[in-house]
């Protein structure tokens, strides 16, 4: 093939020693048989042999030159392909480096987003727990206030009957105790506390065993009933606010959990 180095080397002309041997052989033959024509014939034969060997060596040399040229073209082609492949590999490395940098940036952003969402969820949970505890305390206080008001109203109504005319000393003592307890309740409005204080002063200032001020007695019932209605409304409002707060928290909680789950999945991918 063209890429296979020829078996023979470059041109190697017949050596002088060979020529001398041939010439001696010729002269020997001439000496044995004579004539000059025989010598000339032998010399022609020798020249033809040398010419044929030269032609063969020339052809071999031409093959070698052709092999060298083919091999040089192949090497040049390989060099060209290697250069192109090198450019492609360098471009691939550059893209990979850019992808790595982008991935590292995205990982950082996702990690930051996850940490932020977890912090928000923890903060929202703390706020929600505090709100729920406040509602428990508020609901307990309102329940106690309603119970106190209900007992005070029951005492007044039982003592007065249907005509609401007078309170005996025992009833006054019970009502005064209930009103005194209500003065310390934070759920009772300041204006209502002022009314209770005025009533306490009025009932405690009466002489004798009975409190007969008809208008004052009606005022006690009206004030206690109004306070009872207000306390009930406050408890209803507090329960509504608790329900809304719980619902809003659950929505925020679910949203943050979904975000954390999504970001963790993206981080894993």
């Amino acid at each position: 093939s063209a890429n296979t180095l020829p078996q023979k080397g470059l041109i190697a002309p017949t050596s002088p020693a060979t020529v001398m041997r041939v010439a001696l052989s010729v002269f020997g033959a001439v000496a044995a048989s004579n004539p000059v024509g025989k010598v000339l014939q032998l010399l022609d034969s020798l020249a033809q042999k040398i010419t044929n060997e030269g032609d063969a060596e020339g052809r071999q040399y031409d093959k070698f030159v052709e092999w060298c040229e083919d091999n040089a073209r192949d090497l040049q082609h390989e060099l060209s392909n290697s250069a192109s492949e090198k450019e492609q590999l360098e471009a691939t490395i550059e893209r990979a480096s850019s992808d790595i940098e982008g991935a590292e940036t995205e990982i950082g952003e996702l990690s930051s987003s996850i940490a932020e969402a977890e912090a928000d969820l923890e903060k929202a949970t703390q706020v929600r727990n505090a709100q729920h505890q406040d509602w428990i305390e508020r609901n307990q206080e309102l329940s106690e206030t309603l119970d106190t008001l209900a007992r005070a109203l029951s005492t007044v109504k039982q003592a007065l009957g249907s005509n609401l005319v007078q309170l005996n000393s025992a009833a006054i003592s019970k009502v005064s105790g209930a009103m005194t307890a209500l003065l310390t309740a934070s759920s009772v409005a300041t204006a209502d506390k002022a009314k209770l204080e005025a009533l306490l002063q009025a009932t405690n200032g009466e002489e004798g065993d009975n409190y007969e001020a008809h208008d004052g007695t009606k005022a006690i019932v009206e004030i206690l009933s109004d306070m009872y209605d207000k306390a009930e409304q406050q408890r209803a409002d507090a329960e509504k606010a608790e329900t809304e707060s719980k619902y809003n928290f659950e929505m925020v909680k679910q949203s943050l959990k979904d975000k954390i789950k999504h970001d963790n999945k993206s981080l894993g991918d």
Side-chain angles (χ1 to χ4, degrees):
S1 65
N3 291 327
T4 303
L5 184 64
Q7 296 300 317
K8 292 186 178 182
L10 298 175
I11 298 175
T14 305
S15 65
T18 302
V19 175
M20 287 298 296
R21 284 195 298 270
V22 174
L24 289 174
S25 298
V26 171
F27 284 118
V30 171
S33 62
N34 190 34
V36 176
K38 187 69 173 179
V39 173
L40 294 175
Q41 183 181 0
L42 291 174
L43 290 174
D44 288 341
S45 177
L46 177 60
Q48 185 62 42
K49 181 180 179 182
I50 293 173
T51 300
N52 292 338
E53 289 180 354
D55 292 340
E57 292 294 339
R59 287 192 298 273
Q60 191 68 17
Y61 177 78
D62 291 339
K63 289 182 180 180
F64 176 75
V65 171
E66 183 180 358
W67 176 84
C68 290
E69 292 175 348
D70 291 343
N71 211 33
R73 281 193 299 271
D74 292 341
L75 288 174
Q76 185 63 36
H77 182 67
E78 290 178 3
L79 287 173
S80 177
N81 288 341
S82 297
S84 177
E85 185 177 358
K86 177 176 177 290
E87 291 178 357
Q88 293 176 0
L89 290 173
E90 288 176 345
T92 301
I93 292 172
E94 185 176 355
R95 286 195 300 271
S97 299
S98 178
D99 291 342
I100 291 173
E101 183 178 353
E104 289 176 345
T105 301
E106 184 177 1
I107 289 172
E109 292 175 350
L110 287 171
S111 299
S112 177
S113 177
I114 291 171
E116 183 179 351
E118 289 176 343
D120 289 344
L121 179 58
E122 182 179 359
K123 183 178 179 180
T125 301
Q126 293 174 351
V127 171
R128 171 59 193 148
N129 290 339
Q131 290 175 340
H132 182 63
Q133 185 60 36
D134 289 343
W135 174 80
I136 290 176
E137 295 174 359
R138 177 70 169 169
N139 187 64
Q140 181 178 355
E141 183 182 1
L142 286 169
S143 296
E144 292 173 355
T145 299
L146 285 168
D147 182 64
T148 301
L149 287 168
R151 285 188 284 107
L153 280 169
S154 176
T155 299
V156 174
K157 289 178 180 180
Q158 286 178 3
L160 294 179
S162 59
N163 56 11
L164 301 176
V165 173
Q166 65 180 12
L167 290 174
N168 58 35
S169 59
I172 291 174
S173 177
K174 290 181 180 180
V175 173
S176 296
M179 289 190 294
T180 300
L182 290 171
L183 289 174
T184 61
S186 61
S187 58
V188 177
T190 302
D192 291 333
K193 286 182 179 180
K195 294 178 182 178
L196 286 175
E197 288 178 348
L199 286 174
L200 279 171
Q201 291 175 1
T203 54
N204 292 333
E206 290 293 319
E207 296 180 356
D209 293 335
N210 296 327
Y211 177 69
E212 298 182 354
H214 179 77
D215 292 339
T217 305
K218 284 185 63 178
I220 292 176
V221 175
E222 290 175 357
I223 291 173
L224 292 178
S225 297
D226 182 62
M227 291 175 63
Y228 187 89
D229 292 340
K230 289 180 179 178
E232 273 196 327
Q233 185 60 48
Q234 288 178 15
R235 186 167 65 174
D237 292 342
E239 289 178 351
K240 180 181 179 182
E242 166 66 10
T243 301
E244 291 178 351
S245 177
K246 181 179 179 180
Y247 173 78
N248 291 335
F249 169 73
E250 291 299 331
M251 294 295 291
V252 171
K253 178 181 177 181
Q254 187 61 49
S255 176
L256 290 172
K257 281 189 172 182
D258 289 344
K259 178 176 177 57
I260 292 171
K261 181 179 179 180
H262 177 270
D263 288 348
N264 277 320
K265 184 178 183 301
S266 298
L267 192 61
D269 294 341

